[in-house]
Amino acid sequence: MDLNRPLVWIYLLLMIYGVHLGSTEWIRTDARRTAIGLDLDLESLEWCLENNLSKIGADGYSRMLLFHGNVLQPMESRLVKQKFTNLVHGLDLNSNNGTGSNSCKQMGLADSKCLANLTMSEADFPARDIICAFNYSCCCLHSRKDLVLYFRHVRSVLSERGGIFVMDVYGGISSERKLRLQRKFPSFTYFWEQDEFDIISRQTRISLHFQGGKKQMMRYAFTYHWRLWSIPEIKDCLEEAGFKWVRVWMREMPNTQSGGNAKEYNANRDVKYEESQHFNQGDAWNAYVVGVANV
């Protein structure tokens, strides 16, 4: 994909599941960029609109659409109410059939009721150039059938002109045992608590806690029930879903057992991700898996 050609920037759609800050940063750094977000958590979507997108201004509302729904039934997801009147340039939000009481074509695109009822199936978007699923969100899918189905949905809306799908995954010896880590930031401390790992189902529970200064700890702010997928499993599922080219970029993470679990855990930003065909197992690693729709 040639990222220098203007049409890519104009029609680039970024679908991020659960990490809407990334969508906001994407459109903030180039006025020609647009983004689409899809998430199962309505509260997170509304928080993004109020706290992230609002910092960009009215122009931001015209270039990012957030949908509430399940990634396994993306066409049924509904647009989250937004405070804008000018819709994304180059996107046709008219109903495909132009009939019925909820037809955006009949009611007018700026009609708030129409926008509130709009489903993704009613929106005619151009093919996506980039789709991302970060924050290990694919681990929320516990069955291979669901993972392949999700990848097929992604593949079906990617541009044939080099559209790519990017997801992250983690692993290592430490990912399959009970673990507690902490990271300090200027205004708060973040705790990652990992329960025992079931080696048959490959499932675990991850809990995130926060403590701001001397305030009482906010325990179980977020809890996830994850199925850890291996890189070979992910590659097989992507290929089965129709991706023509799959590559992996990896980096080793700091040893979680160095100094004990109470030691502050900081990832060295100077360590770069490198494309890898072979990678020896270690205590902890992180990876980006990239699938290309067509080559």
Side-chain angles (χ1 to χ4, degrees):
M1 178 175 62
D2 180 7
L3 294 183
N4 292 317
R5 58 186 174 93
L7 285 179
V8 169
W9 294 123
I10 293 174
Y11 297 114
L12 192 56
L13 301 178
L14 181 64
M15 188 177 292
I16 294 189
Y17 302 96
V19 193
H20 308 298
L21 179 60
S23 295
T24 307
E25 283 299 299
W26 176 257
I27 66 172
R28 184 187 65 81
T29 51
D30 193 311
R32 296 169 293 178
R33 295 177 178 174
T34 59
I36 295 177
L38 172 60
D39 201 297
L40 192 60
D41 190 338
L42 181 59
E43 183 179 357
S44 296
L45 292 163
E46 293 174 339
W47 193 95
C48 174
L49 290 175
E50 182 178 350
N51 295 275
N52 293 336
L53 196 56
S54 61
K55 297 176 182 178
I56 298 179
D59 177 60
Y61 288 98
S62 70
R63 293 188 290 118
M64 186 167 84
L65 302 176
L66 297 181
F67 285 81
H68 175 230
N70 191 320
V71 296
L72 297 180
Q73 296 94 33
M75 294 299 102
E76 299 176 11
S77 61
R78 292 192 175 274
L79 183 68
V80 179
K81 185 177 180 181
Q82 303 191 48
K83 302 175 183 178
F84 65 85
T85 57
N86 296 320
L87 296 178
V88 182
H89 174 69
L91 302 184
D92 179 13
L93 294 186
N94 292 332
S95 172
N96 288 332
N97 55 30
T99 61
S101 59
N102 289 331
S103 169
C104 291
K105 188 173 183 179
Q106 291 180 341
M107 300 176 64
L109 293 180
D111 189 285
S112 61
K113 292 182 180 179
C114 171
L115 293 177
N117 291 325
L118 184 75
T119 64
M120 193 173 288
S121 63
E122 296 170 325
D124 185 16
F125 295 121
R128 285 68 155 170
D129 286 306
I130 300 176
I131 296 180
C132 299
F134 292 148
N135 200 30
Y136 314 123
S137 56
C138 287
C139 294
C140 294
L141 303 177
H142 293 182
S143 73
R144 188 182 187 279
K145 178 182 177 181
D146 284 346
L147 191 63
V148 172
L149 175 61
Y150 167 54
F151 289 163
R152 282 180 173 154
H153 283 310
V154 171
R155 175 64 183 85
S156 68
V157 296
L158 275 175
S159 170
E160 293 296 332
R161 301 178 62 184
I164 66 172
F165 169 62
V166 187
M167 61 168 286
D168 58 355
V169 64
Y170 75 99
I173 298 171
S174 63
S175 68
E176 300 185 9
R177 62 178 175 85
K178 197 169 184 178
L179 183 67
R180 182 181 174 89
L181 301 170
Q182 70 180 50
R183 290 188 65 183
K184 290 185 178 180
F185 293 87
S187 59
F188 67 93
T189 301
Y190 155 87
F191 299 87
W192 167 289
E193 185 175 356
Q194 186 172 285
D195 283 359
E196 297 287 357
F197 183 80
D198 185 333
I199 63 171
I200 296 178
S201 67
R202 293 196 57 79
Q203 293 183 23
T204 186
R205 186 180 73 168
I206 305 296
S207 300
L208 306 182
H209 319 294
F210 297 89
Q211 184 167 19
K214 296 182 180 179
K215 297 180 180 179
Q216 185 176 0
M217 181 183 293
M218 183 187 299
R219 295 185 57 81
Y220 301 102
F222 300 96
T223 299
Y224 305 99
H225 295 271
W226 280 349
R227 195 281 199 198
L228 297 191
W229 295 96
S230 69
I231 292 177
E233 287 175 315
I234 292 170
K235 291 182 66 176
D236 287 346
C237 290
L238 285 169
E239 291 170 354
E240 183 175 328
F243 285 85
K244 303 300 183 183
W245 185 88
V246 180
R247 294 292 186 273
V248 180
W249 276 261
M250 300 188 68
R251 61 156 290 181
E252 186 177 4
M253 301 298 286
N255 193 310
T256 59
Q257 300 185 77
S258 178
N261 288 348
K263 181 181 175 64
E264 182 182 349
Y265 186 80
N266 281 314
N268 187 349
R269 294 186 177 182
D270 294 331
V271 179
K272 305 300 182 183
Y273 286 84
E274 296 183 355
E275 185 176 2
S276 306
Q277 294 184 349
H278 304 280
F279 195 91
N280 291 331
Q281 180 68 297
D283 177 73
W285 50 261
N286 206 73
Y288 289 100
V289 181
V290 179
V292 179
N294 195 17
V295 292

